[in-house]
Amino acid sequence: MKAALKALLEQVVINLKKDGVLADDVNPKIVIEHTRDPSHGDFASNLAMMLAKAAGQKPRDLAEKIVAALPENNDIDKVDIAGPGFINFFMNANTLTSVIPAILDAGEVYGHSTIGNGKRVQVEFVSANPTGPLHVGHGRGAAYGAAVADLLAAAGFQVHREYYVNDAGRQMDILCASVWVRYLSLCGALPDLDYLPANGYKGDYVWDVAAHLHRNNGDKFQKQWSDISQELPADEPDGGDKEKFIDAVINMAKEQLGAEDYRFIFDTGLNYILDDIRDDLAHFGVVYEEWFSERSLTDNGLVKDAVERLQKTGHVDEREGALWFKSTDFGDEKDRVLVRANGQSTYFASDIAYHMNKLERGYDQVIDVWGADHHGYVPRVRAAMEAVGDDPSKLHVLLVQFAILYRGKEKMQMSTRSGEFVTLRQLRKEVGSDAARFFYVMRKCEQHLDFDLDLAKSKSNENPMYYIQYAHARVCSVLRQLDEKGFTHDQEAGFESLDKLSEPHEQALMTTLSKFAELVEKAALNHEPHQLAHYLRDLANDFHTYYNAHQFIVDDEVIRNARLCLIKATKQVLQNGLGLLGVSAPDEM
RNA sequence: GCCCCCGUAGCUCAGUAGGAUAGAGCGCACCCCUCCUAAGGGUGAAGUCACACGUUCGAAUCGUGUCGGGGGCACCA
């Protein structure tokens, strides 16, 4: 509808140019918006105010000329000029009610659009190191990334969801060493059964991996700890060089086990945890097209290629034995190391290779959903892309702020040690997947999120997710009642009598429904699922208000058919909207 | 020190590609079921949109600066 009005006004501008009211070189951006106040009609345009200066006329005088030049249109009831020069459009009743058949005919795909034009978008999100289970911070990235991806898909983009698996690097070696030490403990080969290097991974899941390893392989990987420990430097948990110690343990493990067995334990830990993450995310309604291995970048020589490609640009030099990318040439605050003096490439080098690879795969847009703590990382990745001549505008980095858990007023401690729940799995178990998905996307991503567990579990209208689901369940309940009372709903007949929907509550509900498709587009393009969350809350509110004011199952067949069309359309939009956020729409509660 | 985010009702937050009297939930004061789920609805009180200057016919929204709150700075990943 907006588009149609826009087209009309574009025609007006052409006509006014012909009449000499406007100069030929004036090309205004035509804006049509929904009015906030019904007395201002259904839509409004500020065109007259925008053009007043160029035309050398008072806004209201110009508005008169615009209205006079407006082509005939059957959908428009009345056009008013108001305030400083707004042009208000009052649409006729059919325009509003037409949304109902539009929704019911399209069904599950109502709200989908083609604005994305089939462009290929890659969305990379979560990508947590597979060194332990996902925690509640990752949960926000998961819910947010999944919602953005689903919104983009609904808006007509071709979406590729990807998880970057950091299956190489020191953190994974530390995990491997931790698993091995726990394993030795299970073999009874450690003097102190609870012994672990100060910098090792302490979570219980490490025991699980070790037990898994022991169950399937017996004592195969057992070595004499007394021999090993003699050659290790001192571990210094209290501020000493525990880094050095864990590195020594890693090297010792490699030496004692041999490359093959070391890799086996390494991969056992990796796969065990990755399976756990996959399972966790699947239960959270988050699925990927691809799990991209960091190790594959090195194995396929892509990291080497990336460094060489950068070197050819002349923005790399060697200092103190290391290879540096001169990212300061592109506005970064300092240069960054690509290859360390010890010959190992940095995580940054892998990441450059990964991003080059993404673009080589031909995506029109690459979206990275990162934790806010990575923000310092953005300029250097952009710099690398610029250096090699890739288009940095294709890269969108969405930084997700931290979520803080509250139980009522009480802020929860988020330490792994304390045993207070920190994993996504525990959160899902406590509040359910639906509430978790919804609460995570209620705020825009750059906003700190206070996640109130008590609220997420409460069954009242304080809890927006419950309130929205309840609206859906209520419609279902009405439809069940209809059946029990022996009525049927003739939808086609209802379509013929939509003009009976003249109550203010019905008008308000239809107006809200008519904004859905546009809202999905906007939420998708701006990467703002929270807009959808708020919209659904408003829609549910309109419905509950209507429900309280009017009966749907009435004796008058004509009205009954029309009203049931309206609430069925409401149900459909609630279901579609919740679906985009990964939240279920239950039939009863 | 440099960089990023935030500052709107007592509380938690919408609204920011500039538009008409700034919205919602909670909380507070009242009111509404012989009726499809009261897990609901309605009415009311409540604001110098942190502050200042600037751009504009018009600023919560854009720009600059100040003040407050949070986060980030590695040859870690």
Side-chain angles (χ1 to χ4, degrees), chain A residues 104 107 152 323 329 376 408 463 505 509 568:
Chain A
L104 293 176
L152 287 169
L323 224 46
D329 293 351
N463 178 346
H505 288 131
L509 185 51
K568 273 187 175 174

Side-chain angles (χ1 to χ4, degrees), chain A residues 324-328 332-336:
Chain A
W324 296 71
F325 169 47
K326 291 191 280 183
S327 54
T328 46
D332 197 7
E333 55 188 15
K334 54 176 289 192
D335 292 343
R336 311 290 172 176

